[in-house]
Amino acid sequence: MRLVATVLLFAFSWGGSGTLAADTVWPPPALSARDHVYVVPVEVSAALTDPPALTFRFWKTDYALDIYRKSPEALDWGTLHASIPAGTAEWRDTTVERGVAYAYRFHARGVPAETVHNGHVRTFVLAGVEVDRTLWRGRVVLVMPASIQTPLAWEIARFREDLVADGWTVHEVLTPDGRDDWLDAAYGDHVAIRDEIRAIYAAHPGEVKHVILLGRVPQPRSGLRAAWAPDGHGDLGAVAADAYYADVDNEWTDTGTITVAYGNQSGQVRPAWHNNPGDGRFDQSHFRHLPEAFEMGWGRIDFRRALNGETVNGGDEIGALRDYLNKLHAYKHARDGFKPGRRALVRDDGGLYKHLQEEFWKTITPLSGMANLDYVDRFGLPAVSWQTEAQYTFDHGPYLYVFMAGNEPNRNSDMSRAVFWTGFKSHVGYWDLNAWMRQSIAYPNSWTLSWTFSPPRGRYLYHKMALGGTMGDVMKATINNQSSTTGLYGSAVRNHINGTHFVQNPFGAPGDYSGFTFMGHMGDPTLREHMIESPPWLRALLCAESGDVTLAWAASPEGGEGYHLYAAAGRNGPYDRITGEPVRAGETAQVLYWKLAEPPLGKFHFKVRAVRLETTPSGTYLNASLGALADLEPWPDPPLARFLRVAVEDNRLHMDIPEPPEPIFAPVFLESPDLRTWTAADPRPTAIASDDGETLGFRDHSDLQEAHHRFLRFHWGRLGDR
């Protein structure tokens, strides 16, 4: 029986800033009654018992709770799973299975009648016991303009290989360049691009998970509402709508008319935001009549007009893309110097937007846990223009997440030491209106790789990243949550700007902007938590005599559970896992090997991934590093060369030799770290056959050190042959 440590989904610390203490009394003294009315703090522990179990502890026991449970993909919550009365501190679900993820909804009853959303106070958790996330993840579509293929050829090839190494199969769509004036829609390229994405999806239904928009991909626009003002600053029309590329079967019409002056711009007319019949800008702001209107997640990495007048790469758009891809590679491979850990920072705005604070508490705790959560209000931030939060993360980080309210993204800053950022600020959610989010991910020394920004009542469902989920999963769930009260993940939010009473919308009807098509994500949608150092290299070696395949790879320092091996017919995959359980090919060896008992037929491309069991605030899951990739190749010359694992003890080099011929002799060659070059041992060691016929000793070999494992190659032969 393996017990996994208990971790918290919710807690606080107060008094300006600091790490949240595990013994905090609920509710914290600084949290008013109104501030915590919508909160149901939960902690989860996972136990691999017989049967497996998930235990939920409730820090706030004021309310009776109705508990619903579903699969993460189900589009409704089904029937009631359990109910517990007010005052219940702990509930245990023993009907779970090892390896299965479950979505839970805790629906509070008995919420004070002053709230207009009585009955909608809910908390959502994605939980499981040893959920396996080491299998094939699915397909992604990489969309990019042809113009970046040559200047970024090496970086794009590496990015593509990293996607394959992380379990994805990659499809590419090449496009014309998007325009600086954002009038892309007038040229119709976005329609052709979506048609290509739809064709890929149709060929692989349900397998295509995310769309990656890299570079100046033409920008779709949609919207035909004169009365909606998500952040209270005037009417909007055809705003940026990358979600168009994530949809394969909705009807996007182009028949309406609206001429818009965005309220924050002193009546300035923005032609790109106008909408007229047949102009390529669509009418829809949402698709609320459909339970799952969008099939994929998405993210955009696009620096057009983001660097003008800035110091980022001297305004070099290609340079900014290169820097982002370099950062992304370092993060995904858990390189030294880019390991953000598991901490999260919640930056309050001093009480102005209390509804946002409540939303942050609901979604951040399943990701970080109480012990890893810091809290600071805006009065505790350093007084550094445009980069206050970034400076804070530099001084107190690193952080995996920053949830902030009431301020711009930290532009003009290399100071960020946090990877995922979200929050609220007027105008920022319309990413083409300003460059703030894109500047924040562009800086070469900034750790920022992902940005989302919300209007009121447009919450991002970050809890979907639990148990190995991705930012694309967050975006798909968020835009398909078509109402903040009645949607699949509906949850009451106090939305009044001063926090004194409860209304549906502080700025006028309609007040619910969940699932609107203007939602955007700046960054790679395949980003996920808990990266593991990858095995540095892999070789797949075929013995021509026997047909055996041996995999040899360099160890990862973080493969605590061992390694999974994979094979594919093509370099791009999909790769099938060929190991049922992680293999442990030498616990302490620097170089590991594994002979395949039954080499897979027709598969000539291999991958190895380090595996680690992750204990998180949402349960436990089996996590895998990016893999090292190799194509099948013949054994190196001479044909009778052999790879053996060796160890040095008492100045004797011991090798495991299956059925060695008699006698055995050198020459012996020492292997280079990448197994690609050989160095002859000098002086030539003296070979001594062992008494048991299983090991071979070499005396007094000065190039070898205690407990150092190396691969050797040597000839079988007779002593007289040398």
mmCIF file of all heavy atoms in Angstrom, residues 84 128 250 330 364 575 594:
data_model
loop_
_atom_site.group_PDB
_atom_site.id
_atom_site.type_symbol
_atom_site.label_atom_id
_atom_site.label_comp_id
_atom_site.label_asym_id
_atom_site.label_seq_id
_atom_site.Cartn_x
_atom_site.Cartn_y
_atom_site.Cartn_z
ATOM 1 N N ILE A 84 -23.719 15.822 1.687
ATOM 2 C CA ILE A 84 -23.231 15.845 3.059
ATOM 3 C C ILE A 84 -23.840 17.052 3.769
ATOM 4 O O ILE A 84 -24.049 18.107 3.152
ATOM 5 C CB ILE A 84 -21.693 15.897 3.121
ATOM 6 C CG1 ILE A 84 -21.148 17.111 2.375
ATOM 7 C CG2 ILE A 84 -21.097 14.616 2.569
ATOM 8 C CD1 ILE A 84 -19.640 17.261 2.501
ATOM 9 N N GLY A 128 -7.702 12.503 -8.984
ATOM 10 C CA GLY A 128 -7.516 11.111 -9.335
ATOM 11 C C GLY A 128 -6.367 10.489 -8.579
ATOM 12 O O GLY A 128 -5.573 11.185 -7.931
ATOM 13 N N ASN A 250 -19.309 24.973 -36.442
ATOM 14 C CA ASN A 250 -20.290 26.024 -36.225
ATOM 15 C C ASN A 250 -20.459 26.875 -37.482
ATOM 16 O O ASN A 250 -19.543 26.997 -38.305
ATOM 17 C CB ASN A 250 -19.875 26.929 -35.059
ATOM 18 C CG ASN A 250 -20.005 26.232 -33.733
ATOM 19 O OD1 ASN A 250 -20.922 25.453 -33.509
ATOM 20 N ND2 ASN A 250 -19.059 26.500 -32.832
ATOM 21 N N ALA A 330 13.718 25.522 -23.118
ATOM 22 C CA ALA A 330 14.381 25.393 -21.815
ATOM 23 C C ALA A 330 13.389 24.969 -20.735
ATOM 24 O O ALA A 330 13.700 24.123 -19.886
ATOM 25 C CB ALA A 330 15.055 26.710 -21.442
ATOM 26 N N ILE A 364 -6.915 28.644 -8.310
ATOM 27 C CA ILE A 364 -5.473 28.513 -8.131
ATOM 28 C C ILE A 364 -5.110 27.411 -7.153
ATOM 29 O O ILE A 364 -4.099 26.728 -7.305
ATOM 30 C CB ILE A 364 -4.849 29.852 -7.675
ATOM 31 C CG1 ILE A 364 -3.329 29.776 -7.736
ATOM 32 C CG2 ILE A 364 -5.305 30.221 -6.268
ATOM 33 C CD1 ILE A 364 -2.777 29.529 -9.108
ATOM 34 N N TYR A 575 3.501 7.732 -31.508
ATOM 35 C CA TYR A 575 4.339 6.741 -30.847
ATOM 36 C C TYR A 575 3.476 5.901 -29.901
ATOM 37 O O TYR A 575 2.752 6.444 -29.060
ATOM 38 C CB TYR A 575 5.455 7.415 -30.048
ATOM 39 C CG TYR A 575 6.602 7.892 -30.902
ATOM 40 C CD1 TYR A 575 6.501 9.070 -31.645
ATOM 41 C CD2 TYR A 575 7.791 7.177 -30.977
ATOM 42 C CE1 TYR A 575 7.546 9.516 -32.438
ATOM 43 C CE2 TYR A 575 8.847 7.603 -31.764
ATOM 44 C CZ TYR A 575 8.718 8.777 -32.493
ATOM 45 O OH TYR A 575 9.759 9.207 -33.279
ATOM 46 N N TRP A 594 18.259 -1.357 -22.747
ATOM 47 C CA TRP A 594 17.142 -2.280 -22.632
ATOM 48 C C TRP A 594 17.005 -3.032 -23.948
ATOM 49 O O TRP A 594 16.844 -2.423 -25.002
ATOM 50 C CB TRP A 594 15.850 -1.531 -22.333
ATOM 51 C CG TRP A 594 14.747 -2.435 -21.866
ATOM 52 C CD1 TRP A 594 13.737 -2.956 -22.617
ATOM 53 C CD2 TRP A 594 14.548 -2.915 -20.546
ATOM 54 N NE1 TRP A 594 12.925 -3.739 -21.851
ATOM 55 C CE2 TRP A 594 13.391 -3.728 -20.564
ATOM 56 C CE3 TRP A 594 15.234 -2.750 -19.338
ATOM 57 C CZ2 TRP A 594 12.913 -4.367 -19.426
ATOM 58 C CZ3 TRP A 594 14.753 -3.377 -18.208
ATOM 59 C CH2 TRP A 594 13.612 -4.177 -18.257
#
